[in-house]
Amino acid sequence: MASTTLNTYTFLTYNSELRLLICSACRYALILSRLDSHLRIQHSLSKKAREPFLAWAIGLTPKPIDAEAELSAVKFPRVLQPIQSLGPIQRNGLRCSYTPETCFYIGSTPKKLREHLTQAHGWVNSIRGRGKPSKGPAGSTTGPYEGLWVEGVPYTRLFTSGSHSYLFEVVDLTPTTKVLDSASTPPATQQSSLPPTSSIEDLVRQFEAPATALRNEEQRRIREKGDFLEPNAWLLPTADPALLRESSILDAIFSAFDRVIVEGRPQLRPGGASYQVLFELARQATSKDPRKPFYFYHRDSTAKAYSKIYKRFFTYTYRTIRKDLAERPPYRPSESLLHAWDQVVIRAEEFHAQFPSYEYTPLFSTSTREEGSQDRALNAALERISASLLEYILEVFRQPLFHSEYDSLLVSFLSATALQANYTWEEPWTFTKKLSAVTTLFKVVYYVYFSRLRTERIQARIRSGEREDEADYAEPSLLELLVDNQGLYLIESSVTRLPPNAYRWATKLRNYGRTISANTARPGYVSWEGDTILYKDIRLAIPQLFETVSLALQRAQEVLFSDLLFDAPTEATRPISILYPGIGLRYKSTLPSIPWGSLGDDLNNSELGYSLASLFFDHDPSSKSWLFRRITSSTQYTRWFPGSSSTSSTPAGALDPSWLDIRVLREYSASIGRFLEYLAFLVHVTGGQAGRGTELLSLRFKNTQEGGLRNVFLDRGLIMLATGYHKGYNHSGYTKVVYRFLPKAVGELLILRASHKAVGLYRATTSTLKALARKRA
């Protein structure tokens, strides 16, 4: 038999007679179209490492069988010559002899032969239900099965799955050897009762061979996912939309989808759409009103991650929907779905022809509308793509799933993305994030679609001669349009039975995944060794944490007193009693002291501008002009602020921005930034259990018109932080006030920071810098 062997990569062989590639490591045959995925999955070869194999296979003569359709049309010989790459020949096969002239079926067990006889020949088992038949001598077929099959047939297997995964009979070329008995054994062999070393090794290998074969078979079954789950070449680039920049069609689709999200995002927040519309979008059942409205409150990073799921879905659609069923996952798109996607592709191709040099850039903040004719044309082209894309997305969710959920293109995509690179399924607590992206962004798409539909109908009436108010009144409201089509997203209805669709499937699976996550123990990473905490490979000793906090407090004091308040600390100072050992506050006595015991805070005071600094200044009015007096009493500081003097006409305690020296201003502004960094760290670490970043950034030390009431208070001599945000707020809709108390050393820094901001120098610094930046811009 002629064959070609790849000497450099010895585990791959080409059988030119059968036109098949054979992997000697896995011991089964391959067609050319499956070679790349086989090398990537089974042998974990990189793209660069796979290229020599693919180049070698493509250059073979005769050309290997390539497609599944070509393989189905091939008629292989009834009896094959031995193929060493497929492993050792099996000699316990059973060949059907029911019709020996026409049937050449081979089975590995009597059970498979009986199933074949029943299905292919209509044979009826006459002994069923009458007990187990007696066995005849080894190597023979006697009893009720006599004449139905022939035993001891050597066989091999070419494919492990597919239409050609049956067994083939093999010509057995093994020479027959005569077995000697003890009487004919040579004397040299009889002298020792132990076999030679090579025989021992052979016995060990024979003993371990069944276990090794079982382990290999188990690994093969785990890795072999079949035609549906095994990634094909078209599926590989869907891992990340960033890898698809070569496709201008997808770039245009991505850009159009971003504009849909940007259009709906501000409307689905407080102050956007009406509350009736927002509550209707949050509805899950006709008989139960939602507890809270639907808000698209997600941060930019979350919006980008959610949009990425949809972009991968568009990629999946683009690369599979027009392929034959044998070359793609077996979802069943409807004709209306195919038509809707074709319209998206046609609009994207027109866009590419009109703007061939367009580069896709993710857009999530605000939609930019330029006045140039080129930009207006680009925006109009993207609007046409987005209109077709909205129709396609709604058509995906309109498709009912009566027969199987895998008929849905979206469910098929989510199933493919759930398979991880290590041949395992994604965990429920991570896969639910993808389902959240699907359901959340669908609500945005749903709102934008019907909002545009109503606007288009109103514009059509205006063009026909109606007034704008008449046209707006004549058309159904947005709420009516949403209610009329709420069957797309409702989970259950008390009026009628809702047909299953992709949205209801994703929502129920998401709820199930969250239940699994809530009732499954996660791996633990935190442990203690004495006073050292361990987290994975990180070790942190509590004394080291104390030293870090102490050093940060010392640096914050130096920046505040020396650089901002112009009062350098000295060693001769008064100590402060605090909770942490080794942390003290030291400064000159010229700085006004804070009377912790006599200050009383009114937590219910809602006066605009009221803050902790108000308490400080009300108790000691002269402290408000302390910084002004400090500057005017020093020649050095007066030189830095040339407009300030003790004889200035400006009221005491006020600082005019015109006095500021720009040469010093930048250094002073940088010092403010450094101090705020130290203060944020100290508040975050020393205020009890550390909060989230959103809690830290929501602190307000005074009442403001836009931000609301302050949440920094003085309670029994300690600074109290009252944050109303927590990580479960977005899920439950209820706030939970979390109280944190700061040590006096850190609290004193916070009060001095508030007082420093109140005296005007901070505002003068920042306003002057902003004015300078605007002037240069």
Side-chain angles (χ1 to χ4, degrees):
M1 175 182 297
S3 61
T4 303
T5 304
L6 183 61
N7 296 325
T8 307
Y9 306 95
T10 54
F11 65 86
L12 203 60
T13 305
Y14 178 56
N15 189 303
S16 57
E17 181 178 349
L18 302 178
R19 296 174 56 209
L20 292 175
L21 301 165
I22 301 175
C23 179
S24 58
C26 301
R27 295 183 177 180
Y28 58 79
L30 302 164
I31 60 176
L32 185 59
S33 60
R34 294 292 184 185
L35 178 59
D36 184 71
S37 60
H38 173 80
L39 296 173
R40 181 178 59 84
I41 297 175
Q42 301 296 339
H43 300 285
S44 302
L45 296 182
S46 63
K47 181 178 180 181
K48 186 175 182 180
R50 298 195 303 268
E51 290 177 354
F53 288 92
L54 299 176
W56 168 80
I58 294 174
L60 292 173
T61 305
K63 183 182 178 181
I65 298 175
D66 189 2
E68 293 285 349
E70 184 181 359
L71 177 63
S72 301
V74 173
K75 299 296 182 181
F76 292 107
R78 181 176 63 85
V79 181
L80 301 178
Q81 294 293 327
I83 302 176
Q84 184 178 2
S85 301
L86 294 176
I89 299 174
Q90 304 296 324
R91 294 180 174 83
N92 58 346
L94 307 173
R95 184 176 66 240
C96 177
S97 59
Y98 195 89
T99 55
E101 298 82 7
T102 58
C103 182
F104 308 102
Y105 176 83
I106 297 177
S108 57
T109 62
K111 180 179 179 181
K112 292 186 178 295
L113 256 296
R114 290 195 295 268
E115 293 176 353
H116 164 74
L117 290 169
T118 302
Q119 298 173 4
H121 303 295
W123 172 75
V124 179
N125 191 350
S126 60
I127 66 167
R128 177 171 296 174
R130 301 180 183 178
K132 186 177 181 180
S134 59
K135 294 184 178 180
S140 65
T141 305
T142 60
Y145 302 132
E146 185 176 3
L148 295 180
W149 61 70
V150 178
E151 295 184 349
V153 178
Y155 70 90
T156 189
R157 185 191 297 271
L158 290 177
F159 299 95
T160 57
S161 63
S163 58
H164 287 76
S165 59
Y166 48 82
L167 305 180
F168 291 86
E169 185 176 352
V170 179
V171 177
D172 192 356
L173 302 179
T174 304
T176 304
T177 58
K178 183 179 180 180
V179 180
L180 301 177
D181 55 20
S182 59
S184 61
T185 303
T189 309
Q190 296 180 359
Q191 292 177 1
S192 176
S193 62
L194 297 176
T197 305
S198 59
S199 299
I200 295 178
E201 295 176 353
D202 292 340
L203 290 174
V204 172
R205 281 195 294 268
Q206 292 176 12
F207 179 78
E208 294 179 349
T212 303
L214 288 175
R215 285 194 296 269
N216 292 339
E217 177 66 14
E218 182 182 7
Q219 291 296 326
R220 183 193 67 77
R221 290 182 180 275
I222 292 175
R223 295 185 179 185
E224 186 65 38
K225 302 298 181 182
D227 294 340
F228 171 62
L229 292 178
E230 183 177 358
N232 293 314
W234 49 261
L235 188 56
L236 298 180
T238 64
D240 190 348
L243 301 177
L244 298 167
R245 298 301 169 79
E246 76 278 4
S247 176
S248 300
I249 304 300
L250 289 172
D251 283 350
I253 295 174
F254 292 168
S255 183
F257 182 73
D258 284 348
R259 289 172 178 258
V260 170
I261 304 303
V262 168
E263 180 180 345
R265 189 177 185 183
Q267 297 298 318
L268 298 176
R269 289 184 174 184
S274 68
Y275 274 103
Q276 293 185 15
V277 170
L278 297 176
F279 273 100
E280 183 60 34
L281 288 175
R283 182 180 297 277
Q284 294 188 353
T286 55
S287 59
K288 185 178 180 180
D289 292 332
R291 296 184 306 169
K292 58 180 181 178
F294 174 80
Y295 286 145
F296 191 71
Y297 45 72
H298 302 82
R299 296 187 294 269
D300 286 350
S301 58
T302 305
K304 291 179 182 179
Y306 280 12
S307 297
K308 184 178 178 181
I309 300 298
Y310 269 81
K311 292 169 186 176
R312 292 180 62 184
F313 172 60
F314 299 147
T315 303
Y316 186 88
T317 305
Y318 181 74
R319 293 179 173 263
T320 65
I321 197 168
R322 285 302 180 182
K323 288 184 175 290
D324 296 333
L325 184 60
E327 299 180 3
R328 64 164 174 82
Y331 56 81
R332 299 178 181 273
S334 61
E335 291 298 327
S336 57
L337 183 65
L338 293 173
H339 175 73
W341 177 253
D342 288 342
Q343 293 301 311
V344 175
V345 176
I346 291 173
R347 297 286 183 267
E349 290 174 346
E350 293 174 351
F351 177 86
H352 176 57
Q354 187 177 1
F355 305 97
S357 60
Y358 175 77
E359 295 183 2
Y360 167 67
T361 302
L363 182 66
F364 280 97
S365 55
T366 56
S367 181
T368 303
R369 306 282 182 175
E370 301 293 343
E371 296 298 331
S373 57
Q374 177 77 2
D375 295 306
R376 287 197 297 270
L378 186 143
N379 289 330
L382 289 176
E383 290 294 333
R384 289 192 292 270
I385 299 176
S386 64
S388 300
L389 195 59
L390 290 173
E391 291 281 357
Y392 166 69
I393 295 174
L394 262 68
E395 195 62 41
V396 169
F397 287 92
R398 288 192 186 107
Q399 182 178 1
L401 307 179
F402 288 113
H403 299 287
S404 172
E405 60 266 28
Y406 296 104
D407 290 346
S408 169
L409 198 156
L410 180 62
V411 175
S412 174
F413 158 73
L414 291 172
S415 302
T417 59
L419 184 62
Q420 300 184 115
N422 59 350
Y423 314 112
T424 60
W425 294 105
E426 194 169 359
E427 297 293 347
W429 41 86
T430 58
F431 187 71
T432 50
K433 297 179 181 178
K434 298 178 181 179
L435 300 175
S436 298
V438 170
T439 56
T440 301
L441 290 192
F442 171 72
K443 294 290 186 70
V444 180
V445 169
Y446 182 80
Y447 171 83
V448 173
Y449 175 81
F450 286 103
S451 177
R452 287 188 180 184
L453 179 63
R454 185 174 187 275
T455 302
E456 291 172 0
R457 291 177 178 178
I458 293 175
Q459 293 297 326
R461 287 179 175 272
I462 294 175
R463 287 193 296 268
S464 65
E466 295 184 19
R467 296 199 311 269
E468 183 176 354
D469 56 341
E470 294 177 347
D472 183 65
Y473 185 78
E475 283 296 324
S477 66
L478 180 58
L479 180 62
E480 292 178 277
L481 293 176
L482 297 180
V483 172
D484 292 342
N485 296 272
Q486 65 182 186
L488 282 175
Y489 62 85
L490 284 181
I491 304 303
E492 59 184 19
S493 173
S494 59
V495 179
T496 181
R497 180 180 179 273
L498 297 173
N501 64 0
Y503 180 84
R504 281 183 274 278
W505 175 87
T507 302
K508 294 179 180 179
L509 188 63
R510 174 179 175 268
N511 295 337
Y512 182 48
R514 295 179 65 176
T515 302
I516 295 175
S517 177
N519 293 276
T520 303
R522 303 290 184 86
Y525 298 109
V526 179
S527 60
W528 288 87
E529 287 184 2
D531 59 357
T532 301
I533 186 172
L534 309 177
Y535 176 75
K536 295 184 178 180
D537 57 344
I538 301 175
R539 301 173 63 93
L540 177 63
I542 297 303
Q544 292 178 343
L545 180 60
F546 283 162
E547 293 177 3
T548 303
V549 173
S550 178
L551 182 60
L553 182 60
Q554 179 183 351
R555 297 289 174 81
Q557 293 168 358
E558 292 175 355
V559 175
L560 177 64
F561 301 139
S562 300
D563 300 339
L564 300 182
L565 300 179
F566 311 113
D567 193 14
T570 62
E571 293 297 330
T573 60
R574 55 183 177 86
I576 296 295
S577 175
I578 57 174
L579 299 177
Y580 295 94
I583 302 178
L585 186 62
R586 301 172 179 177
Y587 53 84
K588 288 182 178 181
S589 58
T590 56
L591 192 67
S593 61
I594 299 177
W596 296 99
S598 58
L599 289 179
D601 193 2
D602 183 5
L603 277 63
N604 296 319
N605 192 326
S606 59
E607 180 184 353
L608 190 64
Y610 187 80
S611 68
L612 291 177
S614 303
L615 296 176
F616 194 35
F617 295 150
D618 291 343
H619 182 272
D620 183 9
S622 63
S623 61
K624 191 170 186 178
S625 61
W626 180 89
L627 184 57
F628 177 79
R629 295 196 307 270
R630 181 69 180 171
I631 293 174
T632 57
S633 63
S634 172
T635 307
Q636 177 184 5
Y637 303 142
T638 305
R639 185 174 66 252
W640 287 356
F641 298 88
S644 63
S645 65
S646 58
T647 59
S648 175
S649 60
T650 305
L655 291 173
D656 192 330
S658 63
W659 296 351
L660 299 175
D661 187 354
I662 297 300
R663 294 174 299 178
V664 182
L665 184 61
R666 298 187 186 279
E667 296 182 7
Y668 194 83
S669 178
S671 299
I672 294 175
R674 288 198 306 272
F675 173 73
L676 290 179
E677 290 179 359
Y678 288 128
L679 183 60
F681 170 77
L682 292 170
V683 170
H684 186 65
V685 174
T686 64
Q689 184 174 357
R692 298 162 66 91
T694 46
E695 295 179 79
L696 179 65
L697 299 179
S698 65
L699 294 177
R700 295 180 302 277
F701 76 94
K702 73 174 182 178
N703 300 331
T704 61
Q705 186 172 1
E706 298 295 335
L709 300 180
R710 63 192 175 104
N711 51 8
V712 179
F713 308 99
L714 180 64
D715 183 31
R716 286 166 287 186
L718 291 176
I719 296 298
M720 180 180 69
L721 312 177
T723 56
Y725 175 89
H726 64 100
K727 63 181 180 181
Y729 172 73
N730 291 332
H731 172 63
S732 65
Y734 297 105
T735 59
K736 295 180 181 178
V737 179
V738 181
Y739 297 97
R740 295 180 174 87
F741 291 86
L742 300 179
K744 281 192 176 181
V746 181
E748 192 159 59
L749 292 180
L750 189 61
I751 289 184
L752 293 175
R753 159 77 178 95
S755 304
H756 169 251
K757 188 172 183 179
V759 298
L761 183 58
Y762 174 84
R763 294 196 301 271
T765 303
T766 55
S767 61
T768 304
L769 281 177
K770 291 179 181 179
L772 182 61
R774 288 193 299 268
K775 182 178 179 181
R776 292 188 174 182

